[in-house]
Amino acid sequence: STDEIATESSFRLPPDLTQLRHKIGEGLLGRVVVTGQPVVVSDAQHDLRVTNPDILALGVRSLVVLPLKTREKAIGVVYVVSMERREFSAADLRILEIMTDRAALAIENARLFDRLRVTARVVPIGVKREHRRRAPALRPVHARRNSR
């Protein structure tokens, strides 16, 4: 559904976390999609914004949630976790933002390429049919021009 976020790809996440769905606007992931702003949590075990019991049960200590944005619209999120308490620096956050910006651009380009490929398959068929439909009417004109 379009009012939920589901995991499309993950690296080293337990299966229980990859199957979760998050409502847009709820929890850290949902809020990041709505606001388009990253969230940094230095101590997940004591931060009231972390409401997912699975994250807490896994022992996640620190995390950053960043939006994947195209044209200022969030199309998803990237969730970076640490099992040790960590203070993410401004430089860390900037590097993660650059990475997510590039990932979002790559995702958007892949989507556009897929649409273009589908369009390329459809348009020639339509053009070919139009050409066949008009071809008999064009042949006599073409033949008259050549006979002059």
Side-chain angles (χ1 to χ4, degrees):
S1 121
T2 58
D3 60 340
E4 290 184 329
I5 305 166
T7 302
E8 292 291 329
S9 181
S10 67
F11 179 72
R12 293 187 181 172
L13 267 182
D16 291 349
L17 287 182
T18 61
Q19 297 169 5
L20 294 176
R21 293 183 122 30
H22 306 274
K23 289 193 183 288
I24 292 178
E26 294 181 10
L28 289 177
L29 290 148
R31 274 184 263 158
V32 168
V33 168
V34 170
T35 66
Q37 298 299 312
V39 172
V40 179
V41 176
S42 297
D43 188 356
Q45 299 296 318
H46 297 101
D47 193 311
L48 298 177
R49 296 175 296 173
V50 181
T51 57
N52 185 328
D54 295 316
I55 293 287
L56 298 172
L58 283 171
V60 171
R61 292 299 308 246
S62 300
L63 56 97
V64 179
V65 184
L66 301 110
L68 285 168
K69 292 191 290 190
T70 61
R71 296 186 195 107
E72 298 307 312
K73 178 185 177 214
I75 60 169
V77 296
V78 171
Y79 209 96
V80 179
V81 301
S82 173
M83 301 312 250
E84 298 174 12
R85 191 172 179 345
R86 175 189 169 125
E87 296 289 334
F88 289 94
S89 69
D92 293 334
L93 189 57
R94 184 67 195 131
I95 289 169
L96 290 169
E97 287 175 327
I98 290 168
M99 290 171 49
T100 56
D101 287 347
R102 291 190 179 193
L105 182 61
I107 291 167
E108 182 68 10
N109 285 342
R111 287 178 176 172
L112 291 172
F113 181 75
D114 282 346
R115 284 189 210 134
L116 181 63
R117 190 171 43 197
V118 168
T119 302
R121 287 185 198 143
V122 173
V123 170
I125 293 169
V127 170
K128 194 172 185 178
R129 285 184 186 146
E130 183 66 16
H131 177 71
R132 282 185 195 150
R133 190 174 65 79
R134 291 184 179 188
L138 295 176
R139 283 190 193 123
V141 172
H142 180 66
R144 281 193 299 251
R145 284 188 189 158
N146 286 338
S147 61
R148 289 183 188 176

